[in-house]
Amino acid sequence: MAEKNNTISVEEIEKQNKYMELIRKENDLFEAENGVRRRAFILTLGCQQNEADSEKLSGMASKMGYDIVYEPDEASLIIVNTCAIREHAEQRALSLVGQYKHIKARNPDLKIVMCGCMVVQEHRIQDIKMKYPYVDILFGTSSLHRFPSLLYEKMEKGKRIFYRDEKEYAVAEGLPIRRENRFKAWVSVMYGCNNFCSYCIVPYVRGRERSRKMEEVVKEIRELVNSGYKDITLLGQNVNSYGKDLGLSYDFADLLFEIDKIDGDYLIHFMTSHPKDASKKLIDVMSVSKHIARHFHLPMQAGSDRVLKVMNRRYDFEKYMGIVEYIREKMPECVITSDIIVGFPSESDDEFEMTLDALKKVRFDMIYSFIYSPRKGTPAAEMEEQISTDEKKRRMDKLLKVQNEISLEHNKEMVGKTVRVLCDGLSKNNDSVYSGRTEGGKIVFFDGELCDTGRFLNIKIERADTFALYGNKID
Ligand code: 5AD
Ligand code: SF4
Protein backbone atom coordinates (compact mmCIF):
# COMPACT_ATOMS: atom_id res chain seq x y z
CA MET A 1 0.00 0.00 0.00
CA ALA A 2 1.31 3.44 -0.83
CA GLU A 3 2.07 5.72 2.09
CA LYS A 4 -0.36 8.66 2.29
CA ASN A 5 1.21 12.03 1.77
CA ASN A 6 0.30 14.22 4.73
CA THR A 7 3.41 16.42 4.65
CA ILE A 8 3.65 20.08 3.71
CA SER A 9 5.54 20.34 0.41
CA VAL A 10 9.29 20.94 0.29
CA GLU A 11 8.54 23.96 -1.94
CA GLU A 12 6.36 25.56 0.75
CA ILE A 13 9.07 25.06 3.41
CA GLU A 14 11.66 26.47 0.95
CA LYS A 15 9.43 29.50 0.45
CA GLN A 16 9.34 30.04 4.21
CA ASN A 17 13.14 29.72 4.31
CA LYS A 18 13.35 32.55 1.79
CA TYR A 19 11.15 34.77 3.99
CA MET A 20 13.37 33.93 6.95
CA GLU A 21 16.35 35.09 4.89
CA LEU A 22 14.59 38.36 3.93
CA ILE A 23 13.67 39.16 7.54
CA ARG A 24 17.20 38.29 8.65
CA LYS A 25 18.54 40.89 6.22
CA GLU A 26 16.12 43.50 7.58
CA ASN A 27 17.14 42.64 11.13
CA ASP A 28 20.86 42.90 10.25
CA LEU A 29 20.16 46.33 8.81
CA PHE A 30 18.32 47.30 11.98
CA GLU A 31 21.35 46.25 14.03
CA ALA A 32 23.72 48.25 11.79
CA GLU A 33 21.56 51.36 12.21
CA ASN A 34 20.70 51.04 15.90
CA GLY A 35 23.66 49.17 17.39
CA VAL A 36 21.44 46.49 18.95
CA ARG A 37 19.90 43.34 17.63
CA ARG A 38 16.15 42.91 17.60
CA ARG A 39 14.99 40.54 20.33
CA ALA A 40 12.17 38.01 20.51
CA PHE A 41 10.28 36.83 23.58
CA ILE A 42 8.10 33.72 23.40
CA LEU A 43 5.51 32.96 26.05
CA THR A 44 4.22 29.39 26.09
CA LEU A 45 1.05 28.37 27.84
CA GLY A 46 -0.34 24.85 28.11
CA CYS A 47 0.98 21.43 27.34
CA GLN A 48 4.21 19.87 26.08
CA GLN A 49 2.92 19.98 22.52
CA ASN A 50 2.85 23.76 22.83
CA GLU A 51 6.36 23.73 24.33
CA ALA A 52 7.50 21.75 21.31
CA ASP A 53 5.76 24.15 18.91
CA SER A 54 7.38 27.11 20.69
CA GLU A 55 10.81 25.58 20.14
CA LYS A 56 10.02 25.70 16.42
CA LEU A 57 8.83 29.32 16.64
CA SER A 58 12.01 30.09 18.55
CA GLY A 59 14.06 28.26 15.90
CA MET A 60 12.44 30.30 13.14
CA ALA A 61 12.87 33.57 15.11
CA SER A 62 16.59 32.83 15.67
CA LYS A 63 17.05 32.05 12.01
CA MET A 64 15.38 35.37 11.21
CA GLY A 65 18.08 37.13 13.25
CA TYR A 66 16.30 37.72 16.55
CA ASP A 67 18.11 37.21 19.84
CA ILE A 68 15.85 35.12 22.06
CA VAL A 69 15.20 36.78 25.43
CA TYR A 70 13.25 35.73 28.52
CA GLU A 71 11.72 39.09 29.47
CA PRO A 72 9.14 40.83 27.24
CA ASP A 73 10.21 44.44 28.01
CA GLU A 74 13.13 44.65 25.59
CA ALA A 75 11.57 42.59 22.81
CA SER A 76 10.73 43.72 19.26
CA LEU A 77 8.75 40.53 18.76
CA ILE A 78 6.46 38.94 21.35
CA ILE A 79 4.83 35.62 20.55
CA VAL A 80 2.09 34.28 22.80
CA ASN A 81 1.53 30.58 22.14
CA THR A 82 -1.87 30.00 23.71
CA CYS A 83 -3.74 27.07 25.24
CA ALA A 84 -7.49 26.37 25.25
CA ILE A 85 -7.80 23.27 27.41
CA ARG A 86 -9.32 25.13 30.37
CA GLU A 87 -10.84 28.58 30.86
CA HIS A 88 -8.03 29.59 33.21
CA ALA A 89 -5.40 29.16 30.47
CA GLU A 90 -7.39 31.39 28.11
CA GLN A 91 -7.88 34.11 30.72
CA ARG A 92 -4.16 34.07 31.46
CA ALA A 93 -3.25 34.55 27.81
CA LEU A 94 -5.65 37.47 27.47
CA SER A 95 -4.45 39.15 30.65
CA LEU A 96 -0.78 38.78 29.64
CA VAL A 97 -1.43 40.18 26.18
CA GLY A 98 -3.24 43.06 27.90
CA GLN A 99 -0.01 43.87 29.73
CA TYR A 100 2.01 43.94 26.52
CA LYS A 101 -0.05 46.93 25.36
CA HIS A 102 2.17 49.14 27.56
CA ILE A 103 5.36 47.74 26.03
CA LYS A 104 3.96 48.49 22.58
CA ALA A 105 3.17 52.08 23.65
CA ARG A 106 6.87 52.53 24.52
CA ASN A 107 8.17 50.68 21.48
CA PRO A 108 6.14 51.08 18.26
CA ASP A 109 8.62 48.71 16.54
CA LEU A 110 7.18 45.83 18.64
CA LYS A 111 5.15 43.17 16.82
CA ILE A 112 2.76 41.09 18.95
CA VAL A 113 1.86 37.64 17.65
CA MET A 114 -0.76 35.25 19.02
CA CYS A 115 -0.92 31.63 17.97
CA GLY A 116 -1.82 28.21 19.37
CA CYS A 117 -5.05 26.53 20.40
CA MET A 118 -7.01 29.45 21.85
CA VAL A 119 -6.86 31.57 18.73
CA VAL A 120 -8.35 28.91 16.44
CA GLN A 121 -11.76 29.52 18.03
CA GLU A 122 -13.94 31.96 16.14
CA HIS A 123 -15.26 33.74 19.26
CA ARG A 124 -11.71 34.35 20.48
CA ILE A 125 -10.58 35.62 17.07
CA GLN A 126 -13.43 38.15 17.11
CA ASP A 127 -12.55 39.15 20.70
CA ILE A 128 -8.95 39.81 19.78
CA LYS A 129 -9.88 41.69 16.61
CA MET A 130 -12.15 44.05 18.55
CA LYS A 131 -10.62 44.34 22.01
CA TYR A 132 -6.88 43.86 21.44
CA PRO A 133 -6.03 46.20 18.55
CA TYR A 134 -2.31 46.01 19.37
CA VAL A 135 -2.14 42.32 18.42
CA ASP A 136 -0.50 42.39 14.98
CA ILE A 137 -0.57 38.79 13.79
CA LEU A 138 -2.74 35.83 14.67
CA PHE A 139 -2.47 32.35 13.22
CA GLY A 140 -3.78 28.92 14.18
CA THR A 141 -2.12 25.61 15.01
CA SER A 142 -2.25 24.47 11.37
CA SER A 143 -0.19 27.43 10.17
CA LEU A 144 2.89 27.41 12.42
CA HIS A 145 5.17 26.92 9.43
CA ARG A 146 3.77 30.11 7.85
CA PHE A 147 5.06 32.33 10.64
CA PRO A 148 7.95 33.81 8.54
CA SER A 149 5.78 34.81 5.57
CA LEU A 150 3.08 36.29 7.83
CA LEU A 151 5.67 38.29 9.78
CA TYR A 152 7.23 39.52 6.55
CA GLU A 153 3.84 40.60 5.23
CA LYS A 154 3.17 42.53 8.44
CA MET A 155 6.61 44.21 8.24
CA GLU A 156 6.07 45.22 4.61
CA LYS A 157 2.39 46.19 4.59
CA GLY A 158 1.72 47.14 8.19
CA LYS A 159 -1.85 45.76 8.21
CA ARG A 160 -3.00 43.37 10.98
CA ILE A 161 -3.07 39.73 9.88
CA PHE A 162 -5.60 37.13 11.03
CA TYR A 163 -4.61 33.95 9.24
CA ARG A 164 -6.62 30.77 9.57
CA ASP A 165 -6.82 27.79 7.27
CA GLU A 166 -7.94 24.48 8.69
CA LYS A 167 -7.58 22.76 5.33
CA GLU A 168 -3.86 23.06 5.93
CA TYR A 169 -3.68 20.58 8.81
CA ALA A 170 -0.61 18.58 7.80
CA VAL A 171 2.87 17.66 9.02
CA ALA A 172 5.63 20.24 8.61
CA GLU A 173 9.12 18.69 8.40
CA GLY A 174 12.40 20.57 8.28
CA LEU A 175 11.52 23.61 10.40
CA PRO A 176 14.42 24.90 12.51
CA ILE A 177 14.16 23.99 16.22
CA ARG A 178 15.84 25.91 19.03
CA ARG A 179 15.71 23.57 22.01
CA GLU A 180 15.50 25.07 25.48
CA ASN A 181 17.36 22.24 27.18
CA ARG A 182 20.62 20.67 26.08
CA PHE A 183 19.91 17.15 27.36
CA LYS A 184 16.09 16.82 27.39
CA ALA A 185 14.05 17.10 24.21
CA TRP A 186 10.49 16.89 22.93
CA VAL A 187 9.80 15.06 19.69
CA SER A 188 6.29 15.18 18.24
CA VAL A 189 5.40 11.91 16.58
CA MET A 190 1.89 12.92 15.60
CA TYR A 191 -0.43 15.89 15.73
CA GLY A 192 -4.18 16.32 16.25
CA CYS A 193 -6.81 14.06 17.76
CA ASN A 194 -9.78 12.06 16.43
CA ASN A 195 -11.33 11.09 19.74
CA PHE A 196 -13.74 13.87 20.60
CA CYS A 197 -13.96 13.19 24.32
CA SER A 198 -17.06 15.18 25.14
CA TYR A 199 -15.30 17.68 27.47
CA CYS A 200 -12.26 18.33 25.30
CA ILE A 201 -11.53 21.18 22.91
CA VAL A 202 -8.38 19.64 21.39
CA PRO A 203 -9.94 17.94 18.34
CA TYR A 204 -11.55 21.27 17.39
CA VAL A 205 -8.36 23.29 17.68
CA ARG A 206 -5.68 20.87 16.50
CA GLY A 207 -7.44 19.03 13.70
CA ARG A 208 -7.46 15.34 12.81
CA GLU A 209 -4.68 12.86 13.62
CA ARG A 210 -1.67 12.96 11.36
CA SER A 211 1.50 10.99 12.02
CA ARG A 212 5.05 11.78 11.10
CA LYS A 213 6.78 9.14 9.06
CA MET A 214 8.73 6.62 11.07
CA GLU A 215 12.01 7.40 9.30
CA GLU A 216 11.67 11.12 10.11
CA VAL A 217 11.08 10.41 13.80
CA VAL A 218 13.92 7.88 14.03
CA LYS A 219 16.29 10.26 12.22
CA GLU A 220 15.49 13.12 14.61
CA ILE A 221 16.00 10.92 17.67
CA ARG A 222 19.27 9.50 16.33
CA GLU A 223 20.57 13.04 15.84
CA LEU A 224 19.50 14.01 19.35
CA VAL A 225 21.16 10.97 20.93
CA ASN A 226 24.34 11.57 18.92
CA SER A 227 24.48 15.14 20.15
CA GLY A 228 24.21 14.10 23.80
CA TYR A 229 20.48 14.23 24.58
CA LYS A 230 19.65 11.87 27.45
CA ASP A 231 15.90 12.14 27.85
CA ILE A 232 13.53 12.33 24.91
CA THR A 233 9.75 12.56 25.22
CA LEU A 234 7.64 11.49 22.27
CA LEU A 235 4.53 13.61 21.97
CA GLY A 236 1.09 13.09 20.54
CA GLN A 237 -2.47 13.62 21.80
CA ASN A 238 -3.00 9.88 21.49
CA VAL A 239 0.26 8.15 20.63
CA ASN A 240 -1.48 4.77 20.56
CA SER A 241 -3.09 5.60 17.25
CA TYR A 242 0.28 6.56 15.72
CA GLY A 243 0.53 5.40 12.12
CA LYS A 244 -3.14 4.59 11.56
CA ASP A 245 -3.71 7.66 9.39
CA LEU A 246 -0.73 6.81 7.18
CA GLY A 247 -2.46 3.68 5.92
CA LEU A 248 0.62 1.53 6.56
CA SER A 249 1.13 -1.50 8.73
CA TYR A 250 3.32 0.00 11.45
CA ASP A 251 2.01 1.21 14.78
CA PHE A 252 3.33 2.96 17.89
CA ALA A 253 4.80 -0.24 19.33
CA ASP A 254 6.77 -0.72 16.07
CA LEU A 255 7.99 2.86 16.28
CA LEU A 256 9.24 2.31 19.85
CA PHE A 257 10.91 -0.92 18.77
CA GLU A 258 12.79 0.91 16.00
CA ILE A 259 13.80 3.81 18.26
CA ASP A 260 15.07 1.42 20.91
CA LYS A 261 17.64 0.05 18.44
CA ILE A 262 19.50 3.40 18.46
CA ASP A 263 22.77 2.96 20.40
CA GLY A 264 23.51 5.27 23.32
CA ASP A 265 22.78 6.14 26.93
CA TYR A 266 19.32 7.70 26.83
CA LEU A 267 15.72 7.26 27.93
CA ILE A 268 12.53 7.56 25.90
CA HIS A 269 9.28 8.73 27.47
CA PHE A 270 5.99 9.11 25.64
CA MET A 271 2.68 10.79 26.20
CA THR A 272 -0.26 10.55 25.99
CA SER A 273 -1.73 7.06 25.75
CA HIS A 274 -5.45 6.54 25.35
CA PRO A 275 -6.65 3.46 27.28
CA LYS A 276 -9.07 2.52 24.51
CA ASP A 277 -6.16 1.48 22.33
CA ALA A 278 -3.18 0.90 24.62
CA SER A 279 -2.15 -2.51 23.26
CA LYS A 280 -0.51 -5.53 24.86
CA LYS A 281 2.01 -5.35 22.04
CA LEU A 282 3.07 -1.87 23.21
CA ILE A 283 3.55 -3.09 26.80
CA ASP A 284 5.45 -6.15 25.55
CA VAL A 285 7.80 -3.96 23.49
CA MET A 286 8.38 -1.65 26.48
CA SER A 287 9.09 -4.54 28.82
CA VAL A 288 11.96 -5.91 26.71
CA SER A 289 13.33 -2.53 25.63
CA LYS A 290 16.61 -1.01 26.74
CA HIS A 291 15.72 2.63 26.48
CA ILE A 292 11.97 3.01 26.95
CA ALA A 293 11.37 4.43 30.45
CA ARG A 294 9.31 2.27 32.78
CA HIS A 295 6.69 4.96 33.04
CA PHE A 296 3.15 4.81 31.71
CA HIS A 297 0.94 7.89 31.70
CA LEU A 298 -2.57 6.55 31.18
CA PRO A 299 -5.37 9.10 31.69
CA MET A 300 -8.32 7.43 33.41
CA GLN A 301 -10.42 10.63 33.80
CA ALA A 302 -13.14 9.02 35.97
CA GLY A 303 -13.96 5.80 37.83
CA SER A 304 -17.64 5.49 36.95
CA ASP A 305 -18.55 3.58 33.78
CA ARG A 306 -21.54 5.85 33.16
CA VAL A 307 -19.43 8.99 33.41
CA LEU A 308 -16.77 7.44 31.15
CA LYS A 309 -19.50 6.71 28.62
CA VAL A 310 -20.84 10.26 28.66
CA MET A 311 -17.26 11.47 28.38
CA ASN A 312 -17.08 9.35 25.19
CA ARG A 313 -13.92 7.63 26.44
CA ARG A 314 -14.82 4.23 24.95
CA TYR A 315 -13.51 2.04 27.81
CA ASP A 316 -14.87 1.03 31.18
CA PHE A 317 -13.06 0.70 34.49
CA GLU A 318 -12.64 -3.07 34.03
CA LYS A 319 -10.82 -2.59 30.73
CA TYR A 320 -8.72 0.19 32.28
CA MET A 321 -7.76 -1.99 35.24
CA GLY A 322 -6.89 -4.82 32.84
CA ILE A 323 -4.28 -2.62 31.17
CA VAL A 324 -2.83 -1.57 34.54
CA GLU A 325 -2.60 -5.21 35.63
CA TYR A 326 -0.87 -6.20 32.40
CA ILE A 327 1.64 -3.33 32.77
CA ARG A 328 2.40 -4.44 36.35
CA GLU A 329 2.65 -8.10 35.34
CA LYS A 330 5.22 -7.30 32.64
CA MET A 331 7.00 -4.42 34.44
CA PRO A 332 6.43 -4.55 38.21
CA GLU A 333 8.65 -1.49 38.69
CA CYS A 334 6.73 0.66 36.17
CA VAL A 335 5.50 4.03 37.44
CA ILE A 336 1.87 4.62 36.43
CA THR A 337 0.41 8.14 36.37
CA SER A 338 -2.94 9.47 35.24
CA ASP A 339 -5.22 12.43 34.53
CA ILE A 340 -8.48 12.77 36.46
CA ILE A 341 -11.33 15.23 35.93
CA VAL A 342 -13.63 16.08 38.84
CA GLY A 343 -17.08 17.61 38.50
CA PHE A 344 -17.87 16.48 34.96
CA PRO A 345 -21.50 17.54 34.27
CA SER A 346 -24.02 15.13 35.83
CA GLU A 347 -21.36 13.33 37.94
CA SER A 348 -23.22 12.35 41.12
CA ASP A 349 -21.69 12.05 44.59
CA ASP A 350 -21.73 8.27 44.27
CA GLU A 351 -20.06 8.43 40.87
CA PHE A 352 -17.38 10.71 42.27
CA GLU A 353 -16.84 8.19 45.07
CA MET A 354 -16.23 5.59 42.33
CA THR A 355 -13.30 7.71 41.15
CA LEU A 356 -11.92 7.65 44.70
CA ASP A 357 -12.39 3.87 44.82
CA ALA A 358 -10.64 3.56 41.47
CA LEU A 359 -7.65 5.54 42.82
CA LYS A 360 -7.45 3.13 45.75
CA LYS A 361 -7.66 0.10 43.44
CA VAL A 362 -5.16 1.29 40.85
CA ARG A 363 -2.79 3.05 43.27
CA PHE A 364 -1.25 5.53 40.83
CA ASP A 365 2.15 6.90 41.72
CA MET A 366 0.89 10.35 40.85
CA ILE A 367 -2.06 12.03 39.16
CA TYR A 368 -2.74 15.30 37.39
CA SER A 369 -6.17 16.34 38.57
CA PHE A 370 -8.43 18.90 36.93
CA ILE A 371 -11.63 20.65 37.82
CA TYR A 372 -13.97 20.30 34.84
CA SER A 373 -13.99 23.49 32.79
CA PRO A 374 -16.75 23.93 30.18
CA ARG A 375 -15.31 24.54 26.70
CA LYS A 376 -17.52 26.36 24.22
CA GLY A 377 -18.51 24.12 21.32
CA THR A 378 -17.98 20.79 23.12
CA PRO A 379 -20.97 18.53 23.95
CA ALA A 380 -20.30 18.48 27.71
CA ALA A 381 -20.51 22.29 27.91
CA GLU A 382 -24.09 22.05 26.59
CA MET A 383 -25.18 19.52 29.23
CA GLU A 384 -27.71 20.87 31.69
CA GLU A 385 -26.44 19.21 34.85
CA GLN A 386 -23.36 21.37 35.43
CA ILE A 387 -21.81 21.00 38.89
CA SER A 388 -21.34 24.11 41.04
CA THR A 389 -17.85 25.55 41.50
CA ASP A 390 -18.00 24.95 45.26
CA GLU A 391 -18.91 21.31 44.78
CA LYS A 392 -16.16 20.83 42.18
CA LYS A 393 -13.61 22.30 44.62
CA ARG A 394 -14.88 20.09 47.42
CA ARG A 395 -14.46 17.01 45.21
CA MET A 396 -11.00 18.14 44.19
CA ASP A 397 -9.90 18.48 47.84
CA LYS A 398 -11.21 15.00 48.60
CA LEU A 399 -9.50 13.54 45.54
CA LEU A 400 -6.15 15.08 46.45
CA LYS A 401 -6.40 13.83 50.02
CA VAL A 402 -6.91 10.24 48.83
CA GLN A 403 -4.20 10.42 46.16
CA ASN A 404 -1.63 12.20 48.35
CA GLU A 405 -1.73 9.34 50.82
CA ILE A 406 -1.17 6.82 48.03
CA SER A 407 1.66 8.88 46.49
CA LEU A 408 3.33 9.12 49.90
CA GLU A 409 3.10 5.35 50.37
CA HIS A 410 4.63 4.76 46.94
CA ASN A 411 7.42 7.24 47.61
CA LYS A 412 8.19 5.75 51.03
CA GLU A 413 8.71 2.37 49.37
CA MET A 414 11.67 3.98 47.59
CA VAL A 415 13.54 4.76 50.83
CA GLY A 416 16.70 2.69 51.09
CA LYS A 417 16.76 1.94 47.35
CA THR A 418 19.35 3.28 44.93
CA VAL A 419 17.80 4.79 41.81
CA ARG A 420 19.13 6.17 38.55
CA VAL A 421 18.41 9.87 38.27
CA LEU A 422 18.99 12.31 35.42
CA CYS A 423 20.30 15.48 37.06
CA ASP A 424 18.49 18.67 36.00
CA GLY A 425 20.93 20.99 37.81
CA LEU A 426 20.46 23.31 40.75
CA SER A 427 16.96 23.16 42.17
CA LYS A 428 14.80 26.14 41.25
CA ASN A 429 13.47 26.73 44.77
CA ASN A 430 16.57 26.00 46.80
CA ASP A 431 19.83 26.92 45.16
CA SER A 432 22.04 24.83 47.42
CA VAL A 433 20.37 21.57 46.40
CA TYR A 434 20.37 19.73 43.07
CA SER A 435 17.35 18.04 41.57
CA GLY A 436 16.70 15.38 38.99
CA ARG A 437 14.12 12.86 37.84
CA THR A 438 13.92 9.10 38.15
CA GLU A 439 13.06 6.99 35.12
CA GLY A 440 9.42 7.18 36.26
CA GLY A 441 9.56 10.98 36.47
CA LYS A 442 9.73 11.32 40.27
CA ILE A 443 11.62 14.37 41.47
CA VAL A 444 14.70 13.73 43.63
CA PHE A 445 16.71 16.28 45.64
CA PHE A 446 20.33 15.66 46.56
CA ASP A 447 23.69 17.38 47.15
CA GLY A 448 25.29 17.60 43.74
CA GLU A 449 27.84 19.57 41.77
CA LEU A 450 27.62 21.64 38.62
CA CYS A 451 29.21 18.91 36.51
CA ASP A 452 26.37 16.51 37.43
CA THR A 453 23.89 18.48 35.33
CA GLY A 454 22.72 16.45 32.35
CA ARG A 455 24.22 13.22 33.72
CA PHE A 456 22.67 10.01 35.00
CA LEU A 457 23.59 9.53 38.68
CA ASN A 458 22.94 6.80 41.20
CA ILE A 459 21.14 8.24 44.20
CA LYS A 460 20.41 6.36 47.40
CA ILE A 461 17.01 7.51 48.68
CA GLU A 462 17.10 8.50 52.36
CA ARG A 463 13.75 10.22 52.80
CA ALA A 464 10.44 10.66 50.98
CA ASP A 465 7.42 12.91 51.15
CA THR A 466 4.25 13.12 49.03
CA PHE A 467 5.81 15.00 46.15
CA ALA A 468 9.54 14.25 46.27
CA LEU A 469 12.38 11.94 47.19
CA TYR A 470 15.58 13.02 48.97
CA GLY A 471 18.89 11.17 48.78
CA ASN A 472 22.65 11.05 48.37
CA LYS A 473 24.91 10.35 45.45
CA ILE A 474 26.53 6.90 45.29
CA ASP A 475 29.66 6.35 43.17
N1 5AD B 1 -11.82 20.51 31.80
C1 5AD B 1 -10.93 19.96 32.69
N2 5AD B 1 -9.93 19.15 32.31
C2 5AD B 1 -9.79 18.87 31.00
N3 5AD B 1 -8.90 18.11 30.34
C3 5AD B 1 -9.19 18.15 29.03
N4 5AD B 1 -10.26 18.95 28.82
C4 5AD B 1 -10.66 19.40 30.03
C5 5AD B 1 -11.70 20.25 30.48
N5 5AD B 1 -12.58 20.76 29.63
C6 5AD B 1 -7.85 17.34 31.02
C7 5AD B 1 -7.96 15.85 30.73
C8 5AD B 1 -6.80 15.60 29.82
C9 5AD B 1 -5.80 16.64 30.30
C10 5AD B 1 -4.70 16.94 29.35
O1 5AD B 1 -6.59 17.77 30.53
O2 5AD B 1 -7.77 15.16 31.94
O3 5AD B 1 -6.29 14.29 29.89
FE1 SF4 C 1 -8.84 15.57 24.31
FE2 SF4 C 1 -9.68 13.02 24.44
FE3 SF4 C 1 -8.18 13.83 22.35
FE4 SF4 C 1 -7.07 13.60 24.79
S1 SF4 C 1 -7.93 11.91 23.57
S2 SF4 C 1 -6.81 15.33 23.34
S3 SF4 C 1 -8.74 14.22 26.14
S4 SF4 C 1 -10.24 14.52 22.85
Side-chain angles (χ1 to χ4, degrees):
M1 206 192 316
E3 190 161 277
K4 249 171 79 180
N5 187 10
N6 63 3
T7 311
I8 291 164
S9 70
V10 177
E11 292 76 32
E12 179 56 40
I13 300 294
E14 270 307 304
K15 195 171 106 191
Q16 297 301 327
N17 276 331
K18 296 232 166 72
Y19 283 112
M20 285 192 245
E21 221 10 72
L22 288 171
I23 296 176
R24 179 167 198 112
K25 281 190 188 136
E26 279 209 26
N27 283 341
D28 287 346
L29 211 61
F30 179 92
E31 187 184 4
E33 283 169 5
N34 297 281
V36 283
R37 287 192 83 69
R38 278 192 171 127
R39 300 174 183 129
F41 167 73
I42 302 168
L43 179 94
T44 311
L45 297 160
C47 66
Q48 291 80 0
Q49 187 65 62
N50 259 19
E51 300 272 354
D53 283 351
S54 282
E55 291 187 345
K56 289 182 183 147
L57 291 163
S58 179
M60 289 189 268
S62 294
K63 206 167 160 186
M64 291 188 277
Y66 290 92
D67 278 346
I68 305 299
V69 291
Y70 295 90
E71 292 295 333
D73 304 300
E74 303 297 318
S76 297
L77 176 66
I78 295 181
I79 306 172
V80 184
N81 192 3
T82 63
C83 168
I85 197 100
R86 282 169 288 274
E87 183 65 20
H88 176 72
E90 298 204 331
Q91 291 310 326
R92 237 190 109 213
L94 293 171
S95 116
L96 285 163
V97 171
Q99 294 168 26
Y100 301 151
K101 178 183 174 180
H102 307 294
I103 307 179
K104 182 108 170 186
R106 284 199 309 272
N107 177 15
D109 182 45
L110 171 64
K111 308 275 180 292
I112 301 180
V113 179
M114 290 186 84
C115 59
C117 295
M118 180 177 95
V119 300
V120 179
Q121 305 169 96
E122 195 53 44
H123 66 288
R124 290 298 182 202
I125 298 178
Q126 292 314 323
D127 250 16
I128 291 157
K129 258 190 195 158
M130 310 298 289
K131 297 190 201 142
Y132 299 82
Y134 40 90
V135 172
D136 298 287
I137 304 174
L138 182 151
F139 56 85
T141 49
S142 60
S143 312
L144 194 85
H145 63 285
R146 286 191 185 273
F147 169 46
S149 59
L150 297 174
L151 181 59
Y152 187 75
E153 191 184 330
K154 171 70 199 167
M155 283 172 145
E156 289 301 294
K157 298 192 183 147
K159 279 214 312 238
R160 300 175 84 195
I161 301 172
F162 286 75
Y163 187 87
R164 193 175 149 199
D165 187 356
E166 269 109 69
K167 289 193 290 298
E168 280 191 338
Y169 279 122
V171 174
E173 293 292 353
L175 296 179
I177 304 177
R178 182 181 171 279
R179 298 190 192 270
E180 284 299 320
N181 191 304
R182 62 186 169 77
F183 53 91
K184 283 174 151 183
W186 312 114
V187 173
S188 299
V189 301
M190 61 186 302
Y191 305 90
C193 181
N194 289 358
N195 291 316
F196 291 93
C197 301
S198 63
Y199 50 79
C200 187
I201 195 71
V202 169
Y204 305 89
V205 293
R206 283 200 172 264
R208 294 295 70 71
E209 286 172 358
R210 52 217 183 269
S211 304
R212 292 178 68 195
K213 298 194 170 63
M214 191 190 276
E215 59 271 25
E216 294 286 355
V217 177
V218 172
K219 189 173 117 210
E220 184 172 344
I221 294 174
R222 184 171 290 118
E223 283 167 7
L224 287 169
V225 171
N226 288 344
S227 46
Y229 279 82
K230 300 279 180 240
D231 184 291
I232 297 164
T233 303
L234 311 181
L235 297 176
Q237 251 72 39
N238 173 18
V239 290
N240 301 118
S241 51
Y242 172 80
K244 283 185 188 159
D245 57 302
L246 288 173
L248 284 182
S249 53
Y250 57 75
D251 61 15
F252 186 61
D254 298 318
L255 177 69
L256 286 185
F257 188 77
E258 283 307 308
I259 293 171
D260 193 51
K261 289 181 190 162
I262 299 170
D263 277 335
D265 190 14
Y266 65 94
L267 276 178
I268 299 286
H269 289 88
F270 59 87
M271 60 194 315
T272 292
S273 279
H274 195 307
K276 82 175 161 58
D277 34 30
S279 67
K280 283 196 168 171
K281 177 178 166 192
L282 167 64
I283 297 161
D284 292 343
V285 166
M286 277 177 85
S287 70
V288 295
S289 75
K290 231 174 123 181
H291 302 287
I292 317 296
R294 287 354 183 215
H295 175 202
F296 219 107
H297 182 64
L298 194 64
M300 182 178 81
Q301 313 296 5
S304 140
D305 289 346
R306 190 199 67 85
V307 173
L308 286 171
K309 198 165 171 49
V310 190
M311 284 179 163
N312 192 29
R313 291 290 287 176
R314 285 171 276 175
Y315 54 84
D316 56 16
F317 179 68
E318 196 184 327
K319 162 143 182 173
Y320 186 90
M321 198 62 208
I323 303 168
V324 168
E325 278 162 2
Y326 194 68
I327 295 171
R328 292 207 168 122
E329 181 193 323
K330 289 281 165 168
M331 298 175 283
E333 74 287 15
C334 190
V335 166
I336 305 181
T337 56
S338 197
D339 291 347
I340 305 287
I341 297 178
V342 300
F344 181 81
S346 81
E347 180 190 65
S348 68
D349 268 342
D350 284 352
E351 286 166 340
F352 169 65
E353 292 291 329
M354 290 167 129
T355 299
L356 300 182
D357 283 348
L359 294 189
K360 290 175 196 158
K361 282 188 188 127
V362 179
R363 298 184 54 77
F364 296 111
D365 287 83
M366 208 264 286
I367 58 166
Y368 298 90
S369 45
F370 306 103
I371 286 184
Y372 169 72
S373 168
R375 310 314 301 132
K376 199 177 158 93
T378 61
E382 303 301 318
M383 288 173 63
E384 276 173 12
E385 305 128 291
Q386 300 289 326
I387 310 281
S388 73
T389 308
D390 279 354
E391 180 56 23
K392 286 195 264 194
K393 285 192 181 143
R394 196 188 66 79
R395 289 185 190 176
M396 179 61 122
D397 288 348
K398 246 180 138 176
L399 183 91
L400 290 179
K401 226 170 137 226
V402 169
Q403 179 56 40
N404 286 351
E405 251 178 53
I406 298 169
S407 297
L408 180 62
E409 281 165 21
H410 273 296
N411 285 352
K412 280 196 167 153
E413 282 163 19
M414 307 288 288
V415 174
K417 292 187 180 156
T418 297
V419 288
R420 202 157 173 255
V421 169
L422 179 60
C423 176
D424 282 320
L426 268 175
S427 148
K428 283 197 189 91
N429 302 326
N430 177 349
D431 63 10
S432 61
V433 173
Y434 278 70
S435 72
R437 298 268 172 182
T438 65
E439 186 170 331
K442 293 190 193 226
I443 190 155
V444 184
F445 295 101
F446 53 93
D447 287 331
E449 341 170 44
L450 198 59
C451 61
D452 291 335
T453 306
R455 286 203 181 142
F456 286 111
L457 307 169
N458 290 318
I459 306 282
K460 178 148 188 252
I461 304 301
E462 306 290 351
R463 189 163 69 81
D465 64 25
T466 310
F467 303 106
L469 306 171
Y470 304 82
N472 293 318
K473 263 196 314 181
I474 304 276
D475 283 339

